[in-house]
């Protein structure tokens, strides 16, 4: 079990490395989808139950839309007394997960997404998303509790660069939004989107629920 988890994370990290290396974002997205389908179909650490039909059909997504791809400046974390800067969430078998809000990304629509830093040994940044597709009842929906955009502790990173003003940009492509493991099986416990990661935009991009 231990080594299969190591292999899963190595493969996920390698998949994102392939995506970053491809100059064509849409082709990189197709590579990502194919790689995820293979992992979910056959890997011992797949979050899908053994007889889940998604093992055969593959995971459903909206078509790639380049309008949802942005390079955004990493802004300072907001000061908001109603939404604490530190969150402690139930990580299931991994124990409690402590996250510190350390930044914010502003989408062109005006919506903002908080950037969280995992305070455990592995570290890494985490950006979840809950948008207007979450839990829709008309079939064009994503998981009601939200999706993940970036989780660098698990290898999920699309890129970024320093700026001349000593800042940093983050490549945020919402076509790579994916469902957390708890979407597929109740045995998983996942950090979900807080109010600072909940937006009213209708993000018909990334992974979706089956029609």
């Amino acid at each position: 079990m231990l080594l299969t988890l190591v292999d899963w994370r190595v493969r996920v990290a390698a998949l994102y490395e392939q995506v970053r290396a491809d100059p064509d974002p849409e082709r990189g997205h197709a590579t990502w989808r194919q790689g995820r389908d293979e992992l979910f179909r056959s890997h011992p650490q797949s979050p899908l139950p053994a007889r889940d039909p998604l093992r055969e059909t593959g995971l459903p997504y909206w078509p790639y839309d380049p309008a949802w791809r942005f390079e955004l400046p990493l802004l300072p974390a907001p000061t908001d007394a109603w939404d604490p800067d530190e969150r402690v969430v139930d990580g299931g078998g991994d124990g409690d997960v402590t996250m510190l809000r350390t930044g914010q990304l502003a989408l062109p629509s005006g919506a903002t997404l908080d950037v969280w830093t995992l305070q455990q040994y592995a570290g890494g940044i985490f950006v979840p998303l809950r948008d207007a597709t979450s839990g829709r009842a008309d079939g064009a929906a994503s998981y009601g509790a939200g999706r993940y955009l970036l989780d660098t502790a698990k290898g999920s990173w699309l890129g970024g660069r320093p700026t001349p003003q000593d800042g940093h940009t983050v490549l945020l492509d919402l076509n790579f939004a994916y469902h957390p493991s708890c979407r597929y099986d109740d045995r998983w416990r996942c950090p979900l989107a807080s109010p600072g990661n909940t937006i009213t935009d209708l993000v018909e991009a990334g992974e979706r629920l089956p029609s």
Side-chain angles (χ1 to χ4, degrees):
M1 178 68 74
L2 176 62
L3 291 183
T4 61
L5 179 57
V6 171
D7 183 69
W8 172 274
R9 293 191 174 176
V10 166
R11 288 172 182 257
V12 170
L15 187 55
Y16 277 90
E17 185 176 9
Q18 283 184 270
V19 171
R20 291 192 301 272
D22 197 321
D24 184 331
E26 186 169 359
R27 187 172 59 203
H29 185 258
T31 298
W32 178 74
R33 287 184 55 172
Q34 181 180 3
R36 291 191 80 223
D37 280 344
E38 179 58 33
L39 285 168
F40 276 61
R41 179 183 301 115
S42 60
H43 199 278
Q45 287 287 334
S46 172
L48 292 177
R51 293 179 176 80
D52 194 302
L54 291 178
R55 286 182 180 263
E56 298 301 323
T57 63
L59 303 171
Y61 300 83
W62 278 282
Y64 187 87
D65 183 351
W68 288 111
R69 181 180 175 86
F70 313 109
E71 186 173 2
L72 304 173
L74 181 60
L75 304 173
T79 302
D80 184 351
W82 300 105
D83 190 8
D85 285 334
E86 186 173 279
R87 295 176 61 203
V88 179
V89 296
D90 179 8
D94 293 331
D96 289 344
V97 177
T98 302
M99 303 189 301
L100 183 67
R101 183 169 58 174
T102 53
Q104 192 176 75
L105 300 170
L107 300 176
S109 67
T112 59
L113 295 169
D114 288 345
V115 176
W116 298 86
T117 301
L118 304 180
Q119 298 300 288
Q120 273 67 21
Y121 178 77
I125 68 170
F126 175 59
V127 183
L129 167 72
R130 190 174 190 275
D131 68 282
T133 69
S134 301
R136 284 176 68 181
D138 64 0
S142 61
Y143 181 47
R147 295 178 283 175
Y148 290 176
L149 295 173
L150 301 175
D151 184 1
T152 64
K154 305 290 179 60
S156 168
W157 175 245
L158 295 173
R161 60 186 177 85
T163 66
Q165 296 78 28
D166 295 326
H168 209 282
T169 65
V170 174
L171 184 58
L172 197 70
D173 190 334
L174 277 65
N175 292 282
F176 287 82
Y178 63 95
H179 288 145
S181 298
C182 52
R183 138 72 182 109
Y184 311 106
D185 195 315
D186 290 341
R187 67 191 172 97
W188 300 98
R189 296 289 182 270
C190 306
L192 300 175
S194 63
N197 293 86
T198 301
I199 64 176
T200 59
D201 296 15
L202 187 70
V203 183
E204 291 183 323
E207 188 177 356
R208 56 175 289 172
L209 295 176
S211 300

